[in-house]
Amino acid sequence: MKIENIEVFILNTPLEKGFAYSQGDVVKRSSVIAKITMDNGIVGWGESLCHGQQPPEMAASIVEYCYKPLLLGKEAADTNPIWESLYNRTRPFGTAGAVVNALSCIDIALYDCLGKQCGQPVYNLLGGKYRSRIMAYATGFHWKDDSKYPESWIEEAQRHLARGFKGLKLKNGHGVEWDIKNINAVRKAIPDDVLLMADFNCAYSFGQAKKLIEGTKEANMYFYEELLVPEDMDGYKTLRSMTSACIASGENMFTKIQFAKWMTNGALDIYQPDLCSAGGFTELKKILSIAEATNSRVIPHVWGSGIGLAAALQFLATVPKCPNSIYGDEPLLEFDQSEHPFRTKLIKEQFVLNPDGYVDIPSNPGIGVTVNEDCIKEYGYKISTAKL
């Protein structure tokens, strides 16, 4: 089964009501989607993570103008040789960021094709599943100009809990004192057994992070995410020794090379590679092997369209408990609850939170979903036709 064609689409839509986080405003949602067609007619889909302020044209241009010419005619089953050859080709101009985002997109689409060819879900191609369903936590709680805090966050928390969520992740980084006040207020308003997490998107210095941890020590935090910039491994390692809560990061880390350094140094409690960003299935499988060898816990970051969510669920099926024992910690699904039309409109099957707080992992071939190409026609365009 050989690669006959690759098409890359950029999807854009303005949000009805924008929101903010510690790095600025988000006024639209974007996605970079690859469609790979094989010589036998099988089609696979992949996604490149597109952050709230990331121009999607960057990753899309890498796929169209760099990767596509190298891939036409290649055997789809050669996922590892393909991954390494593309990474080596782009090494002089990118071993992280949008370049690896683009590589992730290609890799996911290839696995989707292979799963459909074999009639198997991707998790079986990766070695089999540990679970058929997974506990989800709600990501949301972005800042909005017309909202009052902590009241709006408490109302949102109660809404998510009423739907069955047993974990909540706040979007912080709005100033240390502001964060302390609102984290503590939400904790007081929800049951003690609800997992409470906070994401700071690299907002703080080490001194600020230390003050925040001290100010929220009564909030029984499950984890603090991205308190510091991803370049500060030593700072993270020190923070880890200062709190009984978990210290998490990894959304802005890429490939087995970066994760190996952090895991062997014991810098974090929880590592958060994004399947659509850090290298796709091929690379995350290797990152997971390093995690098992170093007894490191992996809870992937998930913030994409329905394609990215479906692919993440396939990978999450293969993540063992940490440690792999009766009482080891299970991975969790980050289930974005902020406005994102492509999370629902781009796929025909929908992921639903069950009343017990779990999401079922699809067992259909490939990544398990059918792409709605009408959505691409409505919101998308090809990078080759864009005015750059």
Side-chain angles (χ1 to χ4, degrees), residues 47-170:
E47 179 173 5
S48 170
L49 177 67
C50 195
H51 288 279
Q53 297 173 314
Q54 178 179 341
E57 291 81 5
M58 294 191 298
S61 65
I62 295 292
V63 174
E64 179 70 22
Y65 300 115
C66 182
Y67 292 158
K68 180 178 177 178
L70 300 172
L71 290 172
L72 298 180
K74 299 293 185 182
E75 287 285 350
D78 291 337
T79 51
N80 200 65
I82 285 173
W83 198 100
E84 294 296 340
S85 66
L86 295 182
Y87 181 81
N88 289 335
R89 176 63 66 95
T90 55
R91 178 184 280 114
F93 51 92
T95 58
V99 175
V100 182
N101 293 170
L103 181 46
S104 305
C105 184
I106 291 294
D107 189 79
I108 292 167
L110 287 176
Y111 269 91
D112 191 28
C113 288
L114 291 171
K116 291 171 180 174
Q117 168 80 352
C118 299
Q120 295 291 326
V122 167
Y123 59 67
N124 279 346
L125 305 185
L126 299 176
K129 68 181 187 296
Y130 284 95
R131 62 193 60 81
S132 300
R133 56 206 309 268
I134 187 165
M135 181 176 161
Y137 68 86
T139 287
F141 302 92
H142 292 89
W143 319 333
K144 298 180 180 179
D145 290 339
D146 59 354
S147 296
K148 186 178 180 181
Y149 299 94
E151 289 83 357
S152 65
W153 273 8
I154 292 172
E155 186 278 329
E156 182 175 348
Q158 292 170 342
R159 188 169 68 249
H160 293 321
L161 295 178
R163 290 181 54 207
F165 281 106
K166 293 179 174 60
L168 309 170
K169 187 166 77 176
L170 311 176

Side-chain angles (χ1 to χ4, degrees), residues 306-369:
I307 292 175
L309 177 57
L313 282 165
Q314 292 294 312
F315 178 70
L316 278 161
T318 72
V319 178
K321 292 189 289 186
C322 183
N324 198 359
S325 64
I326 296 174
Y327 299 107
D329 288 319
E330 291 275 359
L332 301 169
L333 168 66
E334 179 176 13
F335 201 173
D336 179 23
Q337 298 300 297
S338 62
E339 183 185 351
H340 193 349
F342 308 142
R343 187 173 56 245
T344 52
K345 291 185 177 182
L346 189 56
I347 57 174
K348 295 183 179 180
E349 301 84 355
Q350 297 299 307
F351 296 106
V352 178
L353 184 78
N354 293 310
D356 63 356
Y358 281 71
V359 172
D360 296 325
I361 297 172
S363 58
N364 298 328
I367 61 172
V369 292

Side-chain angles (χ1 to χ4, degrees), residues 214-235:
E214 177 66 22
T216 54
K217 63 183 180 181
E218 301 300 324
N220 188 26
M221 298 298 294
Y222 191 64
F223 67 66
Y224 298 95
E225 178 178 338
E226 282 202 314
L227 276 162
L228 310 175
V229 295
E231 295 81 8
D232 191 5
M233 182 172 67
D234 289 339

